[in-house]
Amino acid sequence: MGNMMQMMHVANCCPGYEATINNIESNMGLENSKSCSNCNHWQDKRCNINLFDSVLISLDQT
Ligand code: SF4
């Protein structure tokens, strides 16, 4: 469902975002871009604390 752009928009506005250790290291010096794909809560292509849909909806309303 979520595409890359959505995952970046959501992560930037998500109160639950937690960068994975691997991401912090590998992104040093690169663009410092948050995305669900580098959040600890992203598992099996979905948010394991169910924040994705609610954050995405709140983005649509702004
Ligand atoms: S995976 Fe879940 S907690 Fe992490 S940034 Fe995305 S919506 Fe937020």
Side-chain angles (χ1 to χ4, degrees):
M1 289 292 290
N3 62 33
M4 290 294 287
M5 289 303 296
Q6 284 178 325
M7 289 163 74
M8 290 172 63
H9 283 308
V10 168
N12 274 303
C13 298
C14 182
Y17 177 79
E18 286 182 19
T20 61
I21 301 297
N22 282 343
N23 181 62
I24 292 172
E25 292 178 348
S26 65
N27 267 4
M28 282 294 181
L30 298 173
E31 60 180 306
N32 186 21
S33 58
K34 293 180 180 179
S35 168
C36 290
S37 64
N38 53 49
C39 174
N40 274 329
H41 293 294
W42 194 252
Q43 293 182 349
D44 297 327
K45 298 182 179 177
R46 61 186 294 274
C47 177
N48 67 7
I49 54 174
N50 288 320
L51 276 173
F52 186 86
D53 286 342
S54 57
V55 174
L56 188 61
I57 289 168
S58 70
L59 290 178
D60 285 344
Q61 291 174 341
T62 58

